[in-house]
Amino acid sequence: DAKTTQPTSMDCAEGRAANLPCNHSTISGNEYVYWYRQIHSQGPQYIIHGLKNNETNEMASLIITEDRKSSTLILPHATLRDTAVYYCIVRVVGNEKLTFGTGTRLTIIP
Amino acid sequence: GAVVSQHPSRVICKSGTSVKIECRSLDFQATTMFWYRQFPKQSLMLMATSNEGSKATYEQGVEKDKFLINHASLTLSTLTVTSAHPEDSSFYICSALGTDNSPLHFGNGTRLTVT
């Protein structure tokens, strides 16, 4: 699976949109971009995934660049409960293993 | 949505004893389950892949005789840490994959402390 690069940490003010970037410049055509988050002492929680089109669900939006070499996870109105480590993962269809990088530690500031 | 239950959430055991951790898929059948380990301030590291009715596949560096995995049904996989030592103290997390194309879902983890 392609490697991803994320900033180590980010802060965001409560109520504002949190934009978390991810670089995956070596992504191949059959690899999806997945986002998970891990709140302290819990298991990872699935957020969203996409192949090449932008995606939105009740939790977040995923914007993937046209060349697919990077993406941004958007939490539209961050709350204190969104404080967590966010992992961007690319995965080949058919390979169900998820390889976690170091992720971005997002802190929501009151 | 898909729910994965892991039990126990915390366990303390003495060095040399064995500990069993259960991972259940509550509302779907999981053909494949994965076991991860996470040390403090580190990311999740995949330990093994467990397929129902067959032997688990272990990642490089993970001792299969120490971390016994059983996946006897489509809703249950167990990880047994045998002859535990303090260095086995960690956060163990399972995940389960359904038979459809739904994303991988994770349990809430088991914090193992070996004294």
Side-chain angles (χ1 to χ4, degrees):
Chain A
D1 289 348
K3 182 178 176 179
T4 62
T5 305
Q6 299 177 252
T8 303
S9 63
M10 292 180 63
D11 292 341
C12 177
E14 186 179 15
R16 304 296 292 269
N19 296 278
L20 292 93
C22 179
N23 285 322
H24 30 79
S25 58
T26 59
I27 193 170
S28 58
N30 62 347
E31 287 183 309
Y32 284 75
V33 180
Y34 279 77
W35 283 84
Y36 283 78
R37 72 180 182 184
Q38 187 178 24
I39 296 170
H40 183 62
S41 293
Q42 297 183 22
Q45 177 189 23
Y46 165 78
I47 302 173
I48 199 167
H49 74 284
L51 183 62
K52 54 183 178 181
N53 296 323
N54 297 337
E55 302 287 345
T56 296
N57 63 20
E58 66 277 5
M59 289 183 69
S61 294
L62 174 60
I63 308 298
I64 303 174
T65 58
E66 193 169 340
D67 63 7
R68 301 186 70 239
K69 292 186 177 182
S70 66
S71 60
T72 301
L73 177 74
I74 301 172
L75 307 178
H77 304 288
T79 70
L80 298 179
R81 285 179 291 185
D82 292 323
T83 292
V85 178
Y86 287 76
Y87 296 99
C88 167
I89 301 166
V90 292
R91 179 170 73 90
V92 174
V93 174
N95 178 6
E96 308 308 342
K97 285 198 283 191
L98 291 182
T99 301
F100 286 81
T102 53
T104 296
R105 182 171 298 276
L106 175 67
T107 302
I108 305 302
I109 310 295
Chain B
V3 177
V4 177
S5 173
Q6 200 171 329
H7 178 79
S9 57
R10 290 179 177 272
V11 59
I12 301 172
C13 72
K14 292 188 176 180
S15 192
T17 61
S18 296
V19 173
K20 181 185 283 188
I21 302 169
E22 292 186 349
C23 180
R24 294 181 184 272
S25 56
L26 295 186
D27 54 357
F28 66 101
Q29 293 185 325
T31 54
T32 305
M33 290 185 173
F34 302 91
W35 288 94
Y36 290 81
R37 179 168 55 181
Q38 186 176 34
F39 292 107
K41 300 190 185 300
Q42 294 186 23
S43 189
L44 284 78
M45 296 297 297
L46 180 66
M47 298 175 67
T49 302
S50 166
N51 292 299
E52 186 265 337
S54 63
K55 290 185 178 180
T57 303
Y58 290 81
E59 296 299 303
Q60 191 173 8
V62 178
E63 299 175 57
K64 63 179 182 181
D65 294 330
K66 179 169 183 63
F67 299 100
L68 300 179
I69 292 171
N70 184 282
H71 193 160
S73 78
L74 285 171
T75 59
L76 174 64
S77 176
T78 60
L79 168 67
T80 302
V81 183
T82 63
S83 187
H85 289 102
E87 56 265 32
D88 297 324
S89 298
S90 188
F91 193 48
Y92 292 86
I93 307 166
C94 73
S95 62
L97 184 69
T99 52
D100 57 13
N101 288 324
S102 61
L104 201 59
H105 290 277
F106 289 80
N108 259 340
T110 296
R111 186 160 302 283
L112 170 64
T113 303
V114 185
T115 61

